Amino acid sequence: MPQTDAPGIGGSSGHRLRWWTELPLIALVYAAYSAGRLLARGDVSTAVDHGLALLRAEKFLHINAESPLNRLFTANSWIGVPADFWYASLHYLVTPAVLIWLFRSRAVHYRAARAWLMISTLIGLVGFTLLPTCPPRLLAKGHGFVDTMAQYSNFGWWGGEASAPRGLGGMTNQYAAMPSLHVGWALWCGVLLWRHGRTPLTRAVAVAYPLLTTIVVMGTANHYLLDAVAGIAVMGVGLLLVRPVLGLADRVRERFGLAPVGAWQPSAVVTSHSGPAVAGASRVGASGAGALSGSSTARRGASHAPESSIVSGECQTSTGERIPRPRKRPAESGAEPGAQSADAGDSTATAAR
């Protein structure tokens, strides 16, 4: 069976990626990200100042959507409790599920998608370090926000410190709110599901998941609207950096004598078990003064022709080509079959057309 390696979002892989190398890599990056969040804890007063500045900017622009949403989630447990479960769990379930789905069924796009997620996550870590931000739920009560995770903690495994399990609140950075990677990762999932999904249900999930996640992070008072906007911006910057980062990675691999993995291909290459296919117009060779005019077109697709060239009717094909149809030449008087006239002129060439 012919095998086609066509460039996609991530290009085609020169070497197939293996799960036993991908899993430790992703685990290492996530561990570095989690450790970075803890090390990026800023001064509490600075984080509160940043949070209040965002809230004042939103009120000035009349876009402080988190305030009415938080009141809705607080007053209605049938909305608040599912929202808390959404915030505490789907972030860690849907994202790896989409990664696995791509790895198994859309492998040609996996490497670029994984790079996009990792680059954006590292950019978000820089944001946590440079701009520690107090989320709405940790502001003074006078600002009107209620921590729904604490209010409905009896329904889940979390305590009063973000979505961390009870007793493990000290292992999370509650001031890593800007940008919102809950929204950023949800957007990543939505884009990939929309682009590579094949069913209407997949397309519906692709739209609903990032939209509902944005509403949830604001309604639970974990993020401001501007946090969500920053999360979207981070994913946009990460997407723009995918090509140069992958190109740099391939150059580094080549420098150390390793074949590039998933290199960006300029064109599709079609191969078969008998060797490379030949596509396009074939070259026509001239034979002395009686060269045939015009050109013959080779059949497209995989070729099973022998490796030696074929010569027929003064038309020599390239290696691996087939002649589209046999050419007939009228036998000259007094000549043996297959013999060629040494002084064949224009009339002979015209008859052979």
Side-chain angles (χ1 to χ4, degrees), residues 304-323:
H304 301 282
E307 294 300 325
S308 61
S309 61
I310 302 173
V311 179
S312 176
E314 297 184 352
C315 177
Q316 181 171 350
T317 65
S318 303
T319 302
E321 286 186 276
R322 291 184 177 182
I323 298 178

Side-chain angles (χ1 to χ4, degrees), residues 168-330:
L168 298 180
M171 299 183 66
T172 184
N173 180 3
Q174 298 192 76
Y175 299 101
M178 169 64 81
S180 171
L181 288 186
H182 268 77
V183 173
W185 287 13
L187 177 65
W188 176 88
C189 294
V191 170
L192 294 174
L193 289 173
W194 179 271
R195 181 156 188 172
H196 304 302
R198 296 176 179 174
T199 65
L201 178 60
T202 306
R203 292 289 183 92
V205 172
V207 174
Y209 180 57
L211 179 61
L212 291 177
T213 298
T214 303
I215 294 173
V216 163
V217 300
M218 291 190 293
T220 57
N222 280 285
H223 289 283
Y224 305 93
L225 176 60
L226 291 179
D227 292 342
V229 172
I232 295 171
V234 162
M235 299 308 295
V237 174
L239 181 60
L240 293 176
L241 292 176
V242 169
R243 281 182 180 269
V245 168
L246 289 183
L248 176 62
D250 288 337
R251 289 193 293 273
V252 170
R253 290 180 63 87
E254 290 176 357
R255 184 178 183 85
F256 288 95
L258 301 174
V261 177
W264 299 90
Q265 301 292 337
S267 61
V269 179
V270 181
T271 60
S272 69
H273 65 273
S274 62
V278 179
S282 65
R283 297 179 179 176
V284 180
S287 175
L292 295 177
S293 62
S295 63
S296 62
T297 303
R299 293 182 182 177
R300 298 183 181 274
S303 173
H304 301 282
E307 294 300 325
S308 61
S309 61
I310 302 173
V311 179
S312 176
E314 297 184 352
C315 177
Q316 181 171 350
T317 65
S318 303
T319 302
E321 286 186 276
R322 291 184 177 182
I323 298 178
R325 59 181 180 275
R327 302 175 182 270
K328 296 182 180 180
R329 295 183 58 207

Side-chain angles (χ1 to χ4, degrees), residues 135-161:
R137 61 184 178 83
L138 294 182
L139 293 176
K141 292 183 178 180
H143 295 284
F145 292 102
V146 175
D147 186 353
T148 62
M149 302 292 291
Q151 179 181 356
Y152 301 122
S153 61
N154 292 333
F155 291 89
W157 59 85
W158 55 85
E161 296 173 301

